[in-house]
Amino acid sequence: MAKGLREHEIFDLLCDGNISELDFSDEETEDQFDNEELQQLLNDFEQCDDQDELDETESEIISNQTSINFNVTEKKNIKWERVPFCPPELKLKDLEERNYPPEMPSITDYFYEYLNDDIFEKIVYYTNLYAIQNSQTRYKPTNCNEIKKFIGIHLIMGCLKYPRVRLYWENATAVNIIIENMSRDRFFTLRRNFHLIDNTEIPKNNTDKFIKVRPLYDAINKKCNSLPVERRLSVDEQMVPYKGHLQMKQYVKGKPCPWGIKAFLLCGESGMVYNILLYQGATTELDTSTQKQFGLGASVVLHLTKHFEKNRHFLFFDNFFSTFNLFEQLQANQIYSVGTIRTNRFADPPLLTDKQLAKMGRGTAFEISTKMENCNLCMVKWYDTRSVTLVSNYIGSGQMDTVRRWDKKLKMYVNIERPEIITAYNTSMGGVDKVDQLISYYRTFIRSKKWTLRMIVHAFDLIVVNCWIQYKKDADHYNVNKNKRKDLLHFRMALAENLIKVGQNVPIKRRGRPRADTGDNNEVSTIPKVRKVDSSQPTDDVRKDKFDHFPEFDTKGHTSRCKNPGCKRKTHIFCIKCNIHLCLDGTSNCFYNFHQ
């Protein structure tokens, strides 16, 4: 018997029935397990009468071992040949389908799938706790409704993009939905105290640098991991813009916002985010043995795809992540991948030089493949204005297509050939870039030295983009008329309005003398006394929330058209919350019907 048997090794011998091989005569084994421990282990084995329980225990041990031990090929054993690639015959399994509800969900339903009431209650608790710990005597405790208003206001600010936050409360540039629901000072008070954890409970030996925002990103990841995954996926970096002093700050050349906090994302072709990994250097959530075997980039890909089922997905990534052993392991996991590479990581493959390809002309492709039993990879070097090299475990040059390119010497467009692997990569690699683009359109404007606030508002922006993409997919499923579908801007504004108004009290109208501000000309500007009605139609969530919808008689001299669909009458009655006119008399009750 080998010296120093471990507990799980003894358990394996017991499972195989090889009790005779258990020889505890050597001293090292006696040191590890005394007689009492051995007898307890034998008793535990005898109590496993249920075969299902034994199988589960055994499979758990095996899975824990194989999760960190991979069969990787050493660099000296990698062999390349100048022979055409033989692609495998793919028979992919069907993708997981979403269980659609009976009717189209509301806009806020998408948002609450990421942040439920439990998350909001924790935010309320820790925000109030932080204010108490700082001895803020004038602080009024917040609640879930006010936190939702706070988030909704930030979403509106991302759409309007005023250069200074205080402009949203000034008379000349005020936004009604903001000034009617939260004062300026209250907004800054909440922003100053907004917290997700108790700072006093952070352990002294803490290694998680993102612990202050971890609950929010864990909630997002939990929902993202439960989404039905698309067929074609990509892995890439995302930057949260930040230029302050921070240990986790990174610089990534070529990104629209090169300075900031880096995260690795797994996205689909549509831009839907399925997994997030926040990068924090040596303490990033990666298995240490995997990172030692594969390196940082490859271990990130394996971490983000660890929940994938076999034979279902195509994966694309760039040369930061690509290594020979990564493609080898993805082939073993039956994940079909394509990636740009750095040739020095692939054991000096016998490729043609750039000069040789340039002499052969634009559109030239050169293909080689591996000469190994358990690893079938293809490497393609394609020359356009300069060369690019890609590797795949399922596709090669394949069927060439033609693309138009501008020729500087001829000063005209020319058609050149393009390999199939290049076409597949260009089509499916841009998922993370699409997310960045959608977020950049209406990124929440915030000037703060607190990196936690930057990460928090970025999380809200990310949720909105994911919700909108899911909303578009559901609209296709329910055959919603394209004229009634909301684009990202209107979706974001409608979500903000719902967060602010749904279930909220109608603000009390201020009584007494109007507020006056004295300008340089000593002219006094006052807020108009006449209430403006008939604004845009409220969202369905607001008009059906059955909360604080009361009728009021307007003071205008003429009547206004009833806004209930199908009604052509005119009336003086309007809803103080929805801010639109609705009939309410003995012959018609549009006021009631509109709110059902």
Side-chain angles (χ1 to χ4, degrees):
M1 174 184 173
K3 291 185 178 182
L5 277 179
R6 299 186 181 277
E7 185 177 4
H8 68 79
E9 294 174 337
I10 298 175
F11 193 82
D12 290 341
L13 291 174
L14 292 173
C15 293
D16 296 335
N18 300 324
I19 302 179
S20 61
E21 297 182 19
L22 294 175
D23 181 12
F24 295 94
S25 59
D26 64 271
E27 297 179 356
E28 185 175 353
T29 307
E30 287 181 355
D31 294 339
Q32 284 187 327
F33 301 99
D34 57 18
N35 293 333
E36 294 182 0
E37 291 177 340
L38 177 60
Q39 187 62 40
Q40 182 63 36
L41 187 61
L42 294 171
N43 292 338
D44 292 342
F45 174 77
E46 292 174 355
Q47 292 175 1
C48 293
D49 295 330
D50 188 357
Q51 187 63 30
D52 293 336
E53 181 180 354
L54 182 60
D55 293 340
E56 289 178 5
T57 307
E58 187 177 2
S59 63
E60 183 178 356
I61 293 173
I62 295 173
S63 64
N64 289 337
Q65 293 173 351
T66 57
S67 64
I68 59 175
N69 295 323
F70 300 98
N71 294 323
V72 297
T73 303
E74 295 183 5
K75 193 171 184 179
K76 63 182 180 181
N77 296 328
I78 299 174
K79 304 296 181 182
W80 293 95
E81 273 193 344
R82 290 186 173 184
V83 296
F85 175 67
C86 296
E89 295 183 3
L90 303 183
K91 295 181 180 179
L92 301 181
K93 297 179 182 178
D94 294 334
L95 296 175
E96 179 185 358
E97 295 184 359
R98 185 190 178 195
N99 296 324
Y100 289 95
E103 59 182 5
M104 182 83 175
S106 66
I107 292 176
T108 47
D109 288 339
Y110 293 106
F111 186 81
Y112 290 146
E113 288 181 359
Y114 290 85
L115 301 180
N116 54 29
D117 290 337
D118 293 337
I119 300 296
F120 283 110
E121 289 175 0
K122 290 180 181 179
I123 294 174
V124 169
Y125 174 78
Y126 291 119
T127 300
N128 292 334
L129 180 63
Y130 181 78
I132 294 172
Q133 291 172 346
N134 288 342
S135 302
Q136 299 184 19
T137 55
R138 296 185 179 182
Y139 176 81
K140 179 182 177 182
T142 186
N143 53 51
C144 290
N145 287 339
E146 192 173 38
I147 292 297
K148 292 176 184 178
K149 286 183 183 180
F150 179 75
I151 296 173
I153 291 174
H154 273 94
L155 297 182
I156 293 175
M157 290 178 176
C159 296
L160 301 182
K161 294 185 181 298
Y162 283 7
R164 188 173 296 169
V165 174
R166 294 177 181 270
L167 292 176
Y168 292 96
W169 283 271
E170 293 185 6
N171 285 340
T173 55
V175 179
N176 288 335
I177 193 173
I178 294 179
I179 63 175
E180 291 176 355
N181 288 278
M182 186 174 292
S183 66
R184 181 196 63 194
D185 293 344
R186 182 60 175 175
F187 175 83
F188 285 114
T189 299
L190 289 178
R191 176 182 282 190
R192 184 167 56 251
N193 294 283
F194 195 93
H195 266 68
L196 301 170
I197 65 167
D198 181 5
N199 292 347
T200 60
E201 294 183 355
I202 299 176
K204 294 182 179 179
N205 58 348
N206 172 60
T207 59
D208 184 8
K209 299 174 184 177
F210 293 103
I211 189 172
K212 291 187 177 182
V213 296
R214 184 65 65 183
L216 181 59
Y217 280 86
D218 284 347
I220 296 173
N221 243 348
K222 183 179 179 181
K223 173 58 183 176
C224 291
N225 292 338
S226 66
L227 294 171
V229 185
E230 300 173 37
R231 180 77 75 189
R232 295 178 174 271
L233 305 160
S234 61
V235 174
D236 205 352
E237 302 153 330
Q238 183 184 65
M239 301 298 293
V240 181
Y242 186 75
K243 289 187 178 181
H245 294 285
L246 184 65
Q247 187 178 4
M248 298 89 74
K249 186 178 65 176
Q250 296 281 311
Y251 175 80
V252 179
K253 183 179 179 181
K255 288 290 183 181
C257 301
W259 287 101
I261 302 168
K262 184 164 69 175
F264 297 106
L265 266 61
L266 173 70
C267 298
E269 276 186 321
S270 63
M272 179 75 74
V273 179
Y274 295 107
N275 207 345
I276 306 172
L277 176 65
L278 301 178
Y279 179 71
Q280 51 180 326
T283 57
T284 305
E285 302 171 276
L286 295 172
D287 184 76
T288 53
S289 60
T290 305
Q291 189 171 353
K292 187 176 181 181
Q293 281 183 305
F294 291 91
L296 173 62
S299 58
V300 167
V301 175
L302 294 175
H303 175 86
L304 294 176
T305 59
K306 61 184 177 181
H307 300 297
F308 278 12
E309 293 191 18
K310 292 185 177 181
N311 199 27
R312 278 192 175 182
H313 305 287
F314 298 102
L315 185 65
F316 302 84
F317 41 84
D318 61 24
N319 56 31
F320 175 82
F321 307 94
S322 297
T323 63
F324 184 92
N325 297 132
L326 173 61
F327 284 99
E328 184 181 23
Q329 185 59 41
L330 291 175
Q331 185 176 11
N333 297 341
Q334 294 186 18
I335 299 174
Y336 306 107
S337 54
V338 176
T340 56
I341 67 164
R342 302 172 188 175
T343 54
N344 59 352
R345 296 180 180 177
F346 287 78
D348 297 325
L351 296 169
L352 296 180
T353 64
D354 291 352
K355 290 183 178 180
Q356 290 173 324
L357 292 175
K359 290 180 180 179
M360 300 171 69
R362 293 179 66 178
T364 302
F366 185 72
E367 178 177 296
I368 61 175
S369 59
T370 52
K371 184 183 178 181
M372 303 171 64
E373 294 181 1
N374 301 324
C375 184
N376 185 26
L377 299 183
C378 174
M379 182 180 295
V380 176
K381 186 173 183 179
W382 180 60
Y383 186 83
D384 187 1
T385 54
R386 58 181 180 176
S387 62
V388 60
T389 310
L390 295 92
V391 168
S392 174
N393 56 18
Y394 82 97
I395 193 174
S397 297
Q399 296 181 354
M400 308 285 282
D401 64 348
T402 58
V403 291
R404 295 184 67 196
R405 292 289 188 268
W406 178 257
D407 192 309
K408 290 184 178 179
K409 293 182 179 179
L410 300 177
K411 296 184 178 180
M412 60 180 294
Y413 285 100
V414 295
N415 292 329
I416 65 173
E417 291 186 333
R418 181 175 61 177
E420 188 176 358
I421 188 174
I422 302 289
T423 305
Y425 182 84
N426 290 344
T427 303
S428 304
M429 181 54 196
V432 179
D433 292 335
K434 188 169 186 179
V435 176
D436 288 338
Q437 181 183 17
L438 293 174
I439 291 177
S440 66
Y441 288 153
Y442 311 109
R443 189 187 299 276
T444 301
F445 173 77
I446 178 171
R447 284 184 178 176
S448 175
K449 293 182 179 179
K450 292 185 176 180
W451 67 269
T452 52
L453 285 179
R454 294 288 186 94
M455 293 291 290
I456 288 169
V457 296
H458 176 79
F460 296 149
D461 293 337
L462 185 64
I463 291 173
V464 172
V465 170
N466 248 26
C467 291
W468 180 68
I469 295 173
Q470 187 62 55
Y471 162 82
K472 289 200 304 177
K473 293 181 179 181
D474 289 351
D476 292 333
H477 175 78
Y478 292 102
N479 296 322
V480 177
N481 193 327
K482 291 187 177 181
N483 295 331
K484 295 183 179 179
R485 299 184 187 184
K486 296 182 182 296
D487 58 11
L488 179 58
L489 174 61
H490 288 93
F491 182 91
R492 186 180 174 108
M493 290 295 291
L495 174 60
E497 183 180 355
N498 291 342
L499 290 174
I500 293 173
K501 288 188 175 181
V502 171
Q504 309 290 353
N505 293 313
V506 176
I508 300 174
K509 191 174 181 180
R510 187 174 293 176
R511 303 282 182 182
R513 297 180 63 184
R515 185 178 59 186
D517 295 327
T518 304
D520 296 336
N521 303 343
N522 293 328
E523 295 179 358
V524 178
S525 60
T526 61
I527 299 176
K529 296 181 180 180
V530 180
R531 184 188 181 100
K532 294 182 179 180
V533 295
D534 286 350
S535 61
S536 59
Q537 284 271 357
T539 62
D540 290 342
D541 290 349
V542 173
R543 72 185 181 96
K544 294 179 181 180
D545 68 347
K546 298 181 180 180
F547 196 89
D548 265 13
H549 294 280
F550 296 110
E552 188 169 324
F553 194 88
D554 68 24
T555 57
K556 295 192 298 185
H558 57 85
T559 57
S560 297
R561 177 81 173 269
C562 176
K563 297 306 183 294
N564 190 36
C567 181
K568 298 181 180 180
R569 300 182 61 196
K570 292 186 177 182
T571 179
H572 281 285
I573 304 297
F574 68 94
C575 175
I576 62 173
K577 184 171 184 177
C578 298
N579 215 15
I580 60 173
H581 280 83
L582 296 165
C583 297
L584 179 59
D585 53 33
T587 60
S588 177
N589 193 353
C590 292
F591 190 93
Y592 174 82
N593 297 331
F594 181 79
H595 294 105
Q596 297 305 308

